[in-house]
Amino acid sequence: MHRALLPGLASMILLAGPATAADAPPGASSCSGCHAPKAVADTVIPHIVGRKAADIVTFMREYRSGAWPSSVMGRIAKGFDDQQTEAIAAWFAAQPE
Ligand code: HEC
C-alpha cells in the first residue's frame, strides 16, 4: 500500500463505527494471539481489548523506549511506529471485551 493512503485509511476506520475483524489495521491480528478478548480466554496476559486507545498507545511507547520493563512487549513494540500503534490502539479500543 502507498504510504500516502495511510492517514486517510486510519480516519476511515475511525469513522466506520464499531469495527469488525475485517477492518483490523496491519499488525492488530498479531496482538490478538496473545491479547484475546475476555470472552474468549482468561489468561495471565493483560487484556487490551476495550481499553482506552490513549492508554494502549502510552504502554506501547514506554515498552518501545524501555522505560517500562517487559518480557516480550519491548521487542514487539519496536516493530510499530507511532502511526501504526495509534491505528492498532483505536481498533482494540473499539472491540467488544
Ligand atoms: C507473544 C505474546 C504477545 C504479543 C504478540 C503481544 N503482546 Fe502485549 N503483552 C504481552 C505480555 C506478556 C504483556 C505483559 C508485559 C510483558 O511481560 O511484556 C503484554 C502487555 C501489553 C500491554 C500492557 C497492558 C497492561 O495493562 O499492562 C499492552 C498495551 C500491550 N501488551 C499491547 C500489545 C499490542 C498492541 C500488541 C500487538 C502489536 C501486543 N501487545 C502483542 C504479550 C504479547
Side-chain angles (χ1 to χ4, degrees), residues 30-90:
S30 70
C31 321
S32 309
C34 292
H35 295 282
K38 276 186 196 135
V40 172
D42 194 14
T43 69
V44 295
I45 297 175
H47 290 282
I48 61 170
V49 176
R51 296 275 290 273
K52 273 192 272 172
D55 293 350
I56 298 174
V57 169
T58 302
F59 271 113
M60 293 292 278
R61 285 209 183 110
E62 301 287 289
Y63 284 137
R64 198 191 317 151
S65 72
W68 288 351
S70 64
S71 56
V72 294
M73 284 310 298
R75 257 177 302 148
I76 292 169
K78 284 196 177 81
F80 299 93
D81 64 23
D82 279 345
Q83 204 178 8
Q84 292 165 327
T85 301
E86 277 161 26
I88 291 171

Side-chain angles (χ1 to χ4, degrees), residues 5-29:
L5 291 175
L6 279 174
L9 190 64
S11 45
M12 272 170 56
I13 291 167
L14 291 174
L15 291 175
T20 64
D23 306 318
S29 60

